[in-house]
Amino acid sequence: MQSESKVDPKIIEEILKFSKNVIEAPKLVAAPDEISLEVTPHDIVQQMDKTRLLHYKPITEKQHKTPLLISYALINRFHILDIQPEKSWVRNLLQQGFDVYMLDWGTPTSMDKYLDFDDYVNGYLDAYVEYIKNESSTEKISLQGYCTGATIATTYASLHPESVKNYIATAPVIDGWRDTTVISNLAKHMDVDKMVEIIGNMPPEFMYYAFSVLKPFEQGIEKYVNFFKNIENKKFVDSFLRVEKWLGDTPPIPGELFKQWIKDIYQDNLLIQNKMHVEGQLVDLKKIDMPIFTQVAVGDHLVSPECSMPLHYAVGSEDKTLRMYPTGHVGMIASSLSQKKVLPELGSWLAERS
């Protein structure tokens, strides 16, 4: 006589609970556009075209003299660095007594399709650095770049080393040929001239597609399964919706800048070879001679560690630090690990040099 197969009651219980959570979701969860990000108080102190310079209000009596300007990435918006109070990169730095500014690149329109590296590096970034220097009565500032914003900041530090006292490169896009990510592989086989000729600015939809093919199961199915499993966990849901809101806010990238980026960084890999030119000026990484702190995430699927680490060995600085963290691209800047490990180490390093 054949033994009867039995289904574990716990499995049935989990299936019923999951189904109930899916049904109840609209009643329990707000839509992402209804979520308030509770951004740290700040003033918009300067504005150029679509870009803005944010200055965060101090929350400590004593402050380090040297101000810090953060050059955020071109993809998504700067809110991930201030996603919620307990995971805010900005708030943590303010609590450590730093004077923090943020460069918001804004939302380019079709009128901005001819903006290029020169406009971003020698135009917007340089103008804001000069403003901060004047406002703080300092000859140099500290500069941090994140992701693609770090590529722009690295270029700036090479061309304008006289204005940068300390440089922090967080997950920088530097060595395109060593980048093992899906985005890098797409970029290396892209007819970018034809794309920009037809489309103009690179639209958000292209970026959504690129992100979706990075980890298709995790990005398309697994994260929503986890969401419904944890729908009664208010802290989990709040964090999930904040990140989803951030992911859904992706501005276009100016066509000319995108074209230069794909060719010079990924296809020809000129930056790490000290062969890249910006409006006739050679970007020589050896000219980055100020103290530099390079932060790399071991599990980064947007900018692989192999793409970021070469910066540490290419610069001319004698005072250089490389730190690697067991997390991902976003985890390095907006997580418990970020608050407990990444930011304290950065703050100590920067305080000694400010």
Side-chain angles (χ1 to χ4, degrees):
M1 184 176 179
Q2 293 183 340
S3 61
E4 295 181 5
S5 60
K6 295 182 179 180
V7 178
D8 189 337
K10 290 184 179 179
I11 296 177
I12 297 176
E13 182 182 352
E14 285 295 318
I15 293 174
L16 291 175
K17 182 180 178 182
F18 183 82
S19 300
K20 177 178 177 292
N21 288 346
V22 172
I23 295 171
E24 295 293 323
K27 300 177 184 178
L28 300 174
V29 181
D33 60 358
E34 297 173 348
I35 298 295
S36 174
L37 293 180
E38 302 176 69
V39 295
T40 304
H42 61 269
D43 295 315
I44 300 170
V45 293
Q46 281 281 291
Q47 193 160 353
M48 293 177 61
D49 301 327
K50 309 299 189 304
T51 68
R52 305 183 305 166
L53 180 64
L54 282 56
H55 187 202
Y56 292 90
K57 297 182 182 297
I59 57 178
T60 59
E61 289 187 13
K62 292 184 179 181
Q63 283 190 296
H64 299 287
K65 180 173 175 54
T66 305
L68 170 66
L69 171 60
I70 301 174
S71 168
Y72 184 67
L74 301 173
I75 301 169
N76 295 112
R77 302 295 299 279
F78 65 92
H79 305 127
I80 194 64
L81 291 170
D82 196 22
I83 198 71
Q84 58 191 116
E86 63 268 27
K87 292 183 179 179
S88 171
W89 183 276
V90 169
R91 182 176 290 272
N92 188 296
L93 289 172
L94 291 172
Q95 289 171 339
Q96 295 189 60
F98 293 103
D99 183 14
V100 183
Y101 290 81
M102 179 80 72
L103 204 169
D104 171 16
W105 297 110
T107 304
T109 66
S110 57
M111 294 176 60
D112 305 307
K113 66 181 179 181
Y114 294 111
L115 293 176
D116 58 13
F117 255 100
D118 180 52
D119 294 303
Y120 275 68
V121 174
N122 297 318
Y124 301 130
L125 182 51
D126 186 51
Y128 289 138
V129 169
E130 290 300 316
Y131 172 86
I132 296 170
K133 286 163 57 178
N134 290 334
E135 285 294 303
S136 59
S137 299
T138 56
E139 295 182 0
K140 298 183 178 185
I141 70 160
S142 292
L143 178 65
Q144 181 197 354
Y146 173 57
C147 188
T148 50
T151 313
I152 292 173
T154 298
T155 304
Y156 182 85
S158 167
L159 298 178
H160 303 274
E162 71 284 350
S163 292
V164 183
K165 185 172 184 177
N166 307 295
Y167 178 44
I168 303 110
T170 307
V173 182
I174 302 295
D175 191 333
W177 286 354
R178 289 181 182 272
D179 196 333
T180 59
T181 64
V182 174
I183 287 180
S184 172
N185 289 329
L186 285 173
K188 290 167 186 173
H189 299 91
M190 205 179 276
D191 186 347
V192 69
D193 288 311
K194 180 63 73 174
M195 287 181 67
V196 171
E197 178 186 341
I198 296 172
I199 301 174
N201 291 341
M202 196 48 49
E205 290 77 12
F206 175 79
M207 307 316 301
Y208 296 146
Y209 167 75
F211 291 147
S212 69
V213 298
L214 290 172
K215 292 184 176 181
F217 179 74
E218 291 182 20
Q219 297 299 320
I221 299 175
E222 186 179 40
K223 73 173 183 178
Y224 293 110
V225 171
N226 289 333
F227 171 70
F228 286 117
K229 281 184 177 179
N230 293 278
I231 204 165
E232 294 178 351
N233 183 334
K234 291 184 178 180
K235 188 174 182 180
F236 177 92
V237 169
D238 180 65
S239 180
F240 180 93
L241 292 177
R242 287 171 186 268
V243 173
E244 285 297 292
K245 183 181 179 74
W246 168 71
L247 286 171
D249 188 6
T250 296
I253 300 175
E256 191 61 31
L257 176 65
F258 183 78
K259 186 193 300 185
Q260 287 179 299
W261 196 284
I262 297 300
K263 287 184 173 182
D264 290 0
I265 306 298
Y266 286 113
Q267 295 182 350
D268 298 330
N269 202 28
L270 300 181
L271 181 59
I272 192 62
Q273 300 181 71
N274 295 328
K275 295 179 180 179
M276 181 175 167
H277 287 80
V278 174
E279 200 64 19
Q281 295 177 284
L282 178 66
V283 182
D284 183 355
L285 298 180
K286 290 296 181 185
K287 291 186 177 180
I288 300 178
D289 56 2
M290 72 288 301
I292 179 172
F293 190 101
T294 304
Q295 299 174 309
V296 177
V298 176
D300 198 327
H301 65 285
L302 289 173
V303 185
S304 64
E306 297 87 349
C307 176
S308 297
M309 289 189 296
L311 178 63
H312 174 78
Y313 304 98
V315 297
S317 175
E318 294 182 1
D319 181 355
K320 53 186 181 180
T321 302
L322 173 64
R323 288 286 183 270
M324 302 184 68
Y325 299 100
T327 185
H329 192 75
V330 174
M332 188 158 60
I333 57 164
S335 68
S336 297
L337 174 71
S338 175
Q339 294 292 312
K340 296 176 182 178
K341 178 74 172 175
V342 182
L343 280 157
E345 288 189 354
L346 171 58
S348 296
W349 181 90
L350 195 55
E352 291 175 1
R353 294 160 178 79
S354 294

